Amino acid sequence: MTTQAGTRVPTGGSAHRPARWVRTRLRASPAAALLMAALAFVTVFLAAAFPRVTDRGADAALQDFVGQKSLKATSLQTTSKTQDDDNAVELDRVQRQLAETAGRQLTLTQPGQAHGARALADHGMGNPEYVRIAEKRTDPVLGLLYLPDLAARATLTDGTWPTPGVVGGPLPIVISKNAAETIHIKLGDVIDNGVEGSGAKRTTVVVGLYQVNDPLDPYWEDLGCPARACLRPVPEHEHWMTSGFVHGDSLPAMARWGTSAENFWRLPVDPASLRADRLDRTRSILSSFLTGRDATALAGATKRADLHTSSLLPELLSRADARYQAAMPLSAIGPAGVAGVAVVVLFLAAALTTDRRAAEIRLLQARGGSRGGVLLRLLGEGAATVLPAAVLGTALALVLLPTPRWGYAVVAALVAALFALLAFPARAALLWSRHRTVGGWRRAIGELVVLAVTVAAVAEVRRRGVGHPGAGVDPLLVAAPLLLAVTGGLVLARIEPVVVGWLAALTGRGRGLVGFLGLARAARDNSGRRRPSALPLLALLIAVTTAGFGATVLDTVDHVRTRAARIATGGDIGVSLPDYATLSESFTKAVGELPGVRASTAVWVEPKARLADADQNYTEAYLVMVVDPAAYAEIARTLGTGVFDPAKLAGAPGGPDTPVPALVSRGLAKRLAAGSSQVRTPNGNDLRVAVAGTVTATPALPDPGKPFVVVPAGPAWERLPDAQRVNQWFAVGDPDPEQVRAVLRKNGGAQPVGLAKLIADEATAVGKDTHGLPAGYTVHSSRETAAALGDDPLQHAAGRLFWYATAAGGGFALLAVLLTLFRAAPDRTAVLARLRTMGLRPRQGLALIVAEALPQTLAAAVGGGLVATVAVALLGGAFDISTLVGAEVGEVVTPVLLPVLLPTAGLALLVCLGVVLETLVAGRRQIATELRAGEQT
């Protein structure tokens, strides 16, 4: 009520109105509320971000993997037999209908779309003036097609575009001007294409010549030889081949010319539209278009009963899915470790808050407050700080990391928010309960349960054996390293106080005081005023274990990839030539003198040799002639493939019947009788060889696929002078690939003749590679091969995600240590203040704090490194690293010191620096406050 003077008199209701709990508590300690909100924000943001990063990496890897394949492999290829009433209008109608129907469920890309018709039989061009290969005299071959967009993609240089053919007359066509010049076709030529089955003459007339605007346009892929004449080296029948194009109204005539013809429609799927989480749905759609309901509907809608669609894309997507699933365990281990450390940090923060407000909670209990009521108030207090931060963190992750899938991110964020929200009330509920002695049989039973679960998980993972691509993520395989870390942390929590106490007793015998006090405070157990918490130790150990385990996996992948690249190359660098070319002696001499070449040799590899045993039974085999057996042995030793003693290939000169020492593949040696055998080369020469040793592989043939024989070139050339040539070169060391290419360009192979000359000219016409070498002349570098194997978004995504998780885990581990320091700050500050009054210098106070925190950090670092090593030894064989390597390999992950040591030492150093900085920043101010206010009780 209000008096006449305007003074408000409190009523009974207003006098006893309680203050709002949440607002009062937040105003009482705003700094603590802000820190809790910041911790919740970071935790929820990371929880929402990791699924998004995983999705983005998976989508990018899938799109890149599919995008690198040919247009034929990523398209729907639809065909139908050409009918008598087919024309350009009909083909355009079907094209529009197919694109519209498929486009409703698949995203198609316009570049590469093509449709038209092709003759199903090619015919020779019998005009005598046309160019033929000298040795075989095989007629050049012509194929016919119809393309509606030809005039838009090619420029007419001579004549006219084709017109509809006249019944009984030659079929008008246009061909490439480059092809005409190569084969000597002239404008107006009537080409003799043989005789039809009815006996009528089959002819075409060249009415125009054109030039393709862009030969690299994907439109031309898999459409014959539209831009030039192609040399088809069919065994025993090498010949030129080109394509001619007819008018859209000449399709029936083209079908009669080619015996039959088919219409085709190519619809390329856009790789950028593919998503890793929708692979099953995409494969289902493709299957429906190939053999399912959509295929039947298309045939009915187009009124073409023989309409047939095929595609290599389902198989391609299955391979991509297998690669993704094989890389998932590594991608999941890092985030799982971060989740474990984050949970520990949240409980540490809850413990710190509970210690700070223990007196308040006990007072509420003493005044009759109910447990449920107080916990609900604490829960509301936490909701006011945690929930807004959680919503902000989730929204930020969704905005900064865009990806179509958001379900997993929101669920992970919700779980993290619940942990952050419930940690303090749960800890307060324990404080509310009757005081119980910590440790004892309850703790022992809990630790034994964790140990039993860990042993069972590891045993099950080892029983299953090595994981296979496409098997999906094994939750047990992902959880096993985390369980090992938790078990190691519990064991270390038992051992560390005993060891530190022993060290404190040992240090107490000396004259120094700081080290003894620091170690004694670190070793105090339940008998003291406080006990060392196992939570910060557990956080550090989980972070170190997961970092060391993942780093070992990645290091193994790098080393295995390097070794796979060296084996595939046949050394650190190699040069290979086509069969028709020969490496010159000037090249082998010049390249062997390049800087970085430690050992090198030239080699001749003959893939069509035959080896005869004592019963004259011939076996197809590779014949490898090695110019320098000693250098070849060094290359084999460096690669660890086919290691042999070079003395075994030391052959004395002799006559044609003197056997040459030879290394043979192990399977071949079992079929050869004792004594000498005979190797027959394709030109009919025989070389007698004597088995001097067996090897499983050889640098020139790391994966031969069939038997092989390795002989020294010198003695072999003495017996077979006409075989004195080399087409490969291998070296180990660290040479620059560009220098080798420069030497090859300057001192190339010997000039090919005859058919080889034509093939070389054809290779040059097709174009040189990016290094200026003709097609077929290749410099292989293990360094470049390893880089190419590692150039995979899937590998990069898995590696990046792991290192992101490692950094996040390290940050949370540091936060766990700092929270432990904050929790012990009042007690530590009181002790330092007392010691300051006794003459303790500031530097000694800093040393005391470091000595108190250092044992736990070092114990966690050493223990984490040991647990990571044990985890690699127990679980390394369960990881499929072939996908991460980029090639099929048989190696497994084994313990390595350096990958474990580096992250362990880095994390330990980070924590130590954090302790020092915290002491320098906060310790001095706290001590000064304590000295002014007096000792806290």
Side-chain angles (χ1 to χ4, degrees):
M1 59 178 292
T2 305
T3 64
Q4 293 179 354
T7 304
R8 182 177 178 81
V9 177
T11 62
S14 61
H16 300 287
R17 181 181 299 168
R20 297 182 181 277
W21 173 277
V22 174
R23 183 177 62 187
T24 303
R25 290 308 310 161
L26 294 180
R27 287 180 176 179
S29 54
L34 288 176
L35 289 175
M36 188 61 207
L39 179 59
F41 169 79
V42 173
T43 304
V44 172
F45 173 78
L46 291 177
F50 277 120
R52 307 280 284 183
V53 172
T54 302
D55 288 346
R56 287 163 60 87
D59 289 344
L62 171 65
Q63 293 163 9
D64 183 79
F65 178 76
V66 175
Q68 290 177 353
K69 306 306 178 184
S70 66
L71 193 65
K72 181 179 179 180
T74 60
S75 301
L76 295 176
Q77 307 277 349
T78 303
T79 59
S80 173
K81 186 176 180 180
T82 301
Q83 302 171 5
D84 291 339
D85 56 348
D86 280 342
N87 53 32
V89 175
E90 172 65 13
L91 268 59
D92 292 343
R93 181 190 68 81
V94 176
Q95 166 71 11
R96 288 192 300 270
Q97 195 161 16
L98 290 175
E100 181 182 355
T101 304
R104 295 193 191 104
Q105 303 183 66
L106 298 170
T107 302
L108 306 178
T109 178
Q110 186 62 36
Q113 284 195 21
H115 69 280
R118 61 166 63 91
L120 293 181
D122 300 335
H123 296 292
M125 294 184 281
N127 300 42
E129 67 272 19
Y130 292 167
V131 172
R132 291 164 175 79
I133 295 175
E135 288 87 343
K136 306 302 178 182
R137 305 297 299 172
T138 304
D139 289 344
V141 171
L142 176 68
L144 291 188
L145 297 94
Y146 159 70
L147 293 176
D149 295 333
L150 182 63
R153 299 176 185 272
T155 301
L156 193 68
T157 59
D158 299 282
T160 63
W161 292 112
T163 57
V166 179
V167 178
L171 184 61
I173 65 170
V174 291
I175 64 172
S176 164
K177 185 175 182 179
N178 291 336
E181 292 174 349
T182 301
I183 307 177
H184 293 179
I185 301 174
K186 296 180 179 61
L187 185 65
D189 279 0
V190 177
I191 302 176
D192 179 8
N193 298 124
V195 179
E196 296 181 8
S198 61
K201 199 90 167 147
R202 182 188 290 117
T203 58
T204 52
V205 58
V206 179
V207 298
L209 303 178
Y210 67 87
Q211 186 171 358
V212 171
N213 296 338
D214 183 9
L216 299 181
D217 188 340
Y219 176 83
W220 299 110
E221 187 172 322
D222 197 34
L223 292 180
C225 291
R228 57 183 176 83
C230 303
L231 184 65
R232 297 298 169 88
V234 180
E236 307 299 330
H237 296 284
E238 294 83 3
H239 59 270
W240 292 109
M241 192 250 177
T242 192
S243 299
F245 295 93
V246 304
H247 189 269
D249 292 334
S250 299
L251 300 187
M254 183 182 68
R256 290 192 297 272
W257 181 91
T259 308
S260 65
E262 70 173 10
N263 306 324
F264 64 89
W265 297 269
R266 183 174 64 198
L267 301 175
V269 177
D270 186 5
S273 68
L274 299 176
R275 286 172 47 182
D277 61 308
R278 292 186 175 181
L279 277 180
D280 290 341
R281 177 177 177 273
T282 304
R283 285 199 295 263
S284 176
I285 293 173
L286 291 171
S287 298
S288 180
F289 277 111
L290 301 184
T291 58
R293 181 179 58 188
D294 287 321
T296 304
L298 280 176
T302 58
K303 297 184 172 71
R304 306 186 80 91
D306 64 336
L307 195 72
H308 174 70
T309 302
S310 63
S311 178
L312 299 176
L313 193 54
E315 180 184 354
L316 199 61
L317 295 181
S318 297
R319 288 164 53 196
D321 187 42
R323 295 168 65 254
Y324 171 68
Q325 297 295 343
M328 279 298 292
L330 178 63
S331 300
I333 283 178
V338 175
V341 181
V343 169
V344 172
V345 170
L346 290 175
F347 279 110
L348 266 175
L352 178 63
T353 306
T354 304
D355 288 350
R356 180 172 55 85
R357 299 177 59 180
E360 173 193 344
I361 296 174
R362 289 196 177 98
L363 180 61
L364 291 173
Q365 181 183 14
R367 290 184 174 181
S370 67
R371 177 187 300 182
V374 173
L375 291 182
L376 283 177
R377 290 177 181 270
L378 295 179
L379 190 62
E381 180 184 336
T385 57
V386 171
L387 293 185
V391 172
L392 181 61
T394 304
L396 191 63
L398 296 178
V399 172
L400 294 181
L401 300 168
T403 183
R405 185 167 59 177
W406 54 269
Y408 287 162
V410 172
V411 170
L414 180 61
V415 172
L418 287 177
F419 270 104
L421 181 63
L422 299 177
F424 174 48
R427 185 70 176 81
L430 292 178
L431 183 66
W432 193 278
S433 302
R434 181 175 55 86
H435 178 72
R436 293 175 295 185
T437 303
V438 179
W441 62 271
R442 292 183 179 86
R443 177 180 175 183
I445 290 178
E447 292 173 348
L448 288 176
V449 169
V450 173
L451 178 62
V453 171
T454 303
V455 171
V458 173
E460 180 64 14
V461 170
R462 291 177 60 85
R463 184 189 67 81
R464 294 178 184 176
V466 178
H468 299 284
V473 182
D474 188 347
L476 203 57
L477 179 60
V478 175
L482 191 62
L483 289 172
L484 285 171
V486 172
T487 302
L490 295 177
V491 172
L492 197 60
R494 290 280 190 178
I495 298 175
E496 188 228 356
V498 178
V499 176
V500 175
W502 177 78
L503 290 176
L506 188 64
T507 308
R509 298 176 185 176
R511 300 181 60 182
L513 179 64
V514 174
F516 169 72
L517 284 177
L519 293 174
R521 287 177 55 80
R524 280 191 298 171
D525 55 12
N526 297 341
S527 60
R529 287 180 58 190
R530 70 172 181 88
R531 58 184 177 83
S533 174
L535 291 179
L537 185 68
L538 188 60
L540 283 170
L541 198 132
I542 291 174
V544 172
T545 300
T546 53
F549 187 90
T552 302
V553 173
L554 292 178
D555 181 78
T556 302
V557 167
D558 289 339
H559 282 81
V560 172
R561 182 186 296 132
T562 300
R563 184 172 183 273
R566 297 179 80 181
I567 291 177
T569 304
D572 290 311
I573 198 162
V575 175
S576 62
L577 267 63
D579 291 340
Y580 58 79
T582 302
L583 282 172
S584 63
E585 185 176 352
S586 61
F587 167 79
T588 56
K589 180 180 179 181
V591 78
E593 296 173 354
L594 288 177
V597 175
R598 191 172 76 246
S600 66
T601 183
V603 174
W604 170 258
V605 178
E606 174 52 66
K608 299 179 181 179
R610 294 192 301 166
L611 183 66
D613 56 18
D615 298 330
Q616 293 300 306
N617 295 319
Y618 283 94
T619 302
E620 293 286 340
Y622 288 104
L623 175 61
V624 181
M625 296 186 183
V626 181
V627 174
D628 188 349
Y632 195 72
E634 173 63 17
I635 295 172
R637 186 194 64 78
T638 303
L639 298 182
T641 301
V643 179
F644 67 95
D645 183 0
K648 292 183 177 181
L649 292 184
D657 294 333
T658 305
V660 175
L663 299 173
V664 299
S665 55
R666 185 164 298 172
L668 187 60
K670 296 178 181 179
R671 296 199 294 268
L672 297 179
S676 61
S677 301
Q678 211 170 44
V679 176
R680 174 161 294 178
T681 60
N683 58 8
N685 293 324
D686 292 333
L687 177 69
R688 296 183 64 81
V689 296
V691 177
T694 59
V695 289
T696 56
T698 187
L701 303 168
D703 186 15
K706 69 179 182 180
F708 61 86
V709 181
V710 181
V711 298
W717 287 344
E718 290 176 1
R719 293 154 178 78
L720 301 175
D722 58 342
Q724 191 168 348
R725 47 190 303 216
V726 292
N727 60 356
Q728 295 191 37
W729 177 84
F730 302 98
V732 290
D734 190 24
D736 184 359
E738 289 304 321
Q739 292 183 348
V740 176
R741 292 187 179 101
V743 174
L744 184 59
R745 286 191 292 267
K746 183 178 179 181
N747 303 279
Q751 180 68 31
V753 296
L755 171 61
K757 175 65 166 62
L758 292 175
I759 297 177
D761 292 342
E762 152 64 336
T764 305
V766 173
K768 297 182 178 181
D769 66 11
T770 56
H771 303 286
L773 298 172
Y777 287 67
T778 308
V779 175
H780 307 275
S781 169
S782 63
R783 187 194 315 167
E784 295 173 349
T785 302
L789 291 176
D791 187 19
D792 183 356
L794 181 66
Q795 303 169 23
H796 296 322
R800 279 197 307 268
L801 185 62
F802 166 74
W803 289 119
Y804 291 160
T806 299
F812 275 116
L814 175 60
L815 185 59
V817 174
L818 294 179
L819 288 175
T820 305
L821 292 176
F822 292 151
R823 187 181 183 188
D827 182 52
R828 183 180 67 243
T829 303
V831 172
L832 289 176
R834 295 191 196 102
L835 293 176
R836 183 70 64 83
T837 61
M838 298 178 187
L840 185 74
R841 293 189 296 274
R843 290 185 179 178
Q844 291 177 316
L846 174 62
L848 177 62
I849 297 175
V850 172
E852 180 181 348
L854 193 61
Q856 190 175 63
T857 302
L858 293 179
V862 174
L866 291 176
V867 173
T869 304
V870 172
V872 171
L874 293 176
L875 307 174
F879 278 84
D880 171 45
I881 64 173
S882 295
T883 301
L884 296 175
V885 170
E888 288 296 328
V889 294
E891 285 85 351
V892 297
V893 182
T894 55
V896 184
L897 177 61
L898 192 60
V900 175
L901 184 61
L902 289 179
T904 299
L907 190 57
L909 180 61
L910 177 66
V911 171
C912 291
L913 289 177
V915 172
V916 173
L917 290 176
E918 190 276 338
T919 303
L920 291 175
V921 173
R924 184 174 298 178
R925 184 180 71 253
Q926 292 171 352
I927 293 173
T929 303
E930 182 72 20
L931 288 174
R932 287 194 302 268
E935 181 177 324
Q936 295 179 358
T937 57

